[in-house]
Amino acid sequence: MDRNCQEFPKTTNLIEQFDCFMGDVIFGNCFVSILEGGSVIEPHCGPTNLRVRCHLGLQVPQGDCSMVVGGQEDKWANRECLLFDDSFLHTARNKTDSTRVVLIVDIWHPNLTVTEIKILTKIFAV
């Protein structure tokens, strides 16, 4: 992960400024996700509802390129965010001929209080 942060110093600096970024806990991730054309990510659930996952569209092809969360379909768009609770069953597909690229950032669930976040950060520190 340190190498990735060195490769993208401006992005890393920006994300680390977000108070809501879960960077110091085991459930907090920030990474680039690439989904090749013609690919499907099978239905799965994240490990906890302590977080909300943010997908920022960096390179989104036109056409059938979407995700389904809890039975509701949503499409990515360039320079737009999709936010969802990944503890719900979700899947993704890219039925186009092009590659889909999104930046994924985990943030604290907005229903958590500052005190709860401080406690959880100590419990789940990396």
Side-chain angles (χ1 to χ4, degrees), residues 68-109:
V68 177
V69 180
Q72 181 171 337
E73 183 176 18
D74 244 326
K75 290 191 172 200
W76 295 280
N78 289 317
R79 301 187 324 180
E80 291 186 12
C81 290
L82 285 179
L83 298 164
F84 66 99
D85 180 339
D86 83 330
S87 69
F88 288 93
L89 187 66
H90 58 283
T91 184
R93 70 173 179 248
N94 180 2
K95 300 286 184 153
T96 74
D97 293 331
S98 301
T99 301
R100 182 235 55 188
V101 181
V102 297
L103 175 66
I104 297 178
V105 180
D106 291 330
I107 59 177
W108 288 105
H109 197 288

Side-chain angles (χ1 to χ4, degrees), residues 18-86:
F18 298 149
D19 290 336
C20 58
F21 174 54
M22 297 178 73
D24 297 330
V25 297
I26 196 164
F27 301 120
N29 296 289
C30 179
F31 59 96
V32 173
S33 171
I34 297 172
L35 188 60
E36 298 293 338
S39 297
V40 174
I41 298 174
E42 294 298 322
H44 62 284
C45 295
T48 180
N49 66 349
L50 297 174
R51 69 182 183 197
V52 171
R53 187 152 270 191
C54 174
H55 284 199
L56 172 62
L58 300 177
Q59 178 183 315
V60 180
Q62 296 291 320
D64 189 2
C65 185
S66 63
M67 63 185 309
V68 177
V69 180
Q72 181 171 337
E73 183 176 18
D74 244 326
K75 290 191 172 200
W76 295 280
N78 289 317
R79 301 187 324 180
E80 291 186 12
C81 290
L82 285 179
L83 298 164
F84 66 99
D85 180 339
D86 83 330

